[in-house]
Amino acid sequence: DQQVKQNSPSLSVQEGRISILNCDYTNSMFDYFLWYKKYPAEGPTFLISISSIKDKNEDGRFTVFLNKSAKHLSLHIVPSQPGDSAVYFCAVRVYPGGGADGLTFGKGTHLIIQP
Amino acid sequence: NAGVTQTPKFQVLKTGQSMTLQCAQDMNHNSMYWYRQDPGMGLRLIYYSASEGTTDKGEVPNGYNVSRLNKREFSLRLESAAPSQTSVYFCASSEALAGVWCEQFFGPGTRLTVL
């Protein structure tokens, strides 16, 4: 049973426009939400995060919105650039125990920025 | 700084063979993790180590063992490889301060094929 769902396997957006990536989660007890970006043949790299006590967090062109009542997370990229073409993973923090923070990931959305 | 390094980058095994995937980090992080990513799926946590000398199971630990050799190194061993273990394996590390989320840094991955 997937705890984190990204229902759009791919998304195509024109350069300069807004890209909106969506993510739904199942457990209202999750407290930290993250977006990772992944290029082919590389490991994921951290993009932006948001705590459950907030509903918005911005970092340059990237903004993450959290709607706790809907259990929904979204990532906005404005303006979209060719280098943003990558797979984007939504992830939530889980507590395996012992002070380590494991992550549970969605399946990812492949964002393609068209020139 | 190299960050998180993984060896080998690619490996092909026959069913029943054993091998060890190596991971090292030079960021002096306390916590280290092993994930696997199957085609069309998100990353899933196999094992983690909250600190030197401790290891514990994640979401999908069956068929694997781990060793936290020292603070820098965290290895993943497949004792008897099975085709279901064909995947891309990612190692990650984080500072994991108590009560504070810290970014996980990922290595480039090891692509393993079991025939």
Side-chain angles (χ1 to χ4, degrees):
Chain A
D1 187 27
Q2 274 187 276
Q3 298 186 77
V4 180
K5 296 180 183 179
Q6 294 177 258
N7 292 319
S8 299
S10 66
L11 175 67
S12 185
V13 174
Q14 266 198 311
E15 182 178 355
R17 307 292 288 266
I18 183 171
S19 295
I20 300 177
L21 295 93
N22 294 303
C23 176
D24 296 301
Y25 60 94
T26 57
N27 190 336
S28 59
M29 298 301 290
F30 289 143
D31 71 335
Y32 223 94
F33 306 86
L34 309 99
W35 286 95
Y36 273 79
K37 177 178 178 179
K38 185 181 181 303
Y39 293 117
E42 294 184 9
T45 55
F46 171 72
L47 197 55
I48 192 168
S49 65
I50 187 167
S51 162
S52 60
I53 63 172
K54 295 186 175 182
D55 52 22
K56 178 181 174 182
N57 188 27
E58 287 181 84
D59 184 1
R61 295 186 298 115
F62 303 93
T63 303
V64 57
F65 295 92
L66 178 62
N67 181 334
K68 290 184 286 292
S69 61
K71 298 193 187 73
H72 181 79
L73 188 69
S74 63
L75 174 68
H76 292 208
I77 306 173
V78 182
S80 300
Q81 298 174 354
D84 296 331
S85 294
V87 177
Y88 290 78
F89 291 99
C90 171
V92 298
R93 179 170 71 166
V94 295
Y95 284 102
D101 290 346
L103 299 176
T104 291
F105 288 79
K107 292 184 177 182
T109 296
H110 185 193
L111 177 63
I112 302 161
I113 305 301
Q114 305 277 10
Chain B
N1 286 350
V4 179
T5 56
Q6 293 183 236
T7 55
K9 287 190 180 350
F10 301 94
Q11 183 71 49
V12 179
L13 293 177
K14 294 181 180 177
T15 298
Q17 287 185 316
S18 63
M19 79 159 295
T20 299
L21 282 65
Q22 307 286 354
C23 174
Q25 53 93 7
D26 61 3
M27 295 172 282
N28 203 36
H29 286 166
N30 288 319
S31 297
M32 297 185 74
Y33 312 83
W34 276 105
Y35 293 87
R36 62 177 285 176
Q37 184 188 15
D38 300 319
M41 300 288 288
L43 283 73
R44 292 183 291 170
L45 184 64
I46 305 171
Y47 268 92
Y48 65 95
S49 170
S51 60
E52 186 179 353
T54 69
T55 62
D56 215 331
K57 297 177 181 178
E59 182 186 354
V60 289
N62 291 346
Y64 305 96
N65 285 302
V66 289
S67 296
R68 184 73 183 267
L69 305 169
N70 47 56
K71 192 171 185 180
R72 288 188 65 247
E73 298 171 289
F74 188 37
S75 62
L76 179 73
R77 182 160 178 84
L78 288 71
E79 290 291 351
S80 179
S84 60
Q85 294 178 303
T86 293
S87 190
V88 181
Y89 291 84
F90 292 100
C91 177
S93 71
S94 72
E95 185 58 31
L97 298 170
V100 178
W101 186 81
C102 299
E103 173 187 350
Q104 288 191 13
F105 293 84
F106 283 81
T110 294
R111 187 173 295 273
L112 175 66
T113 301
V114 183
L115 302 175

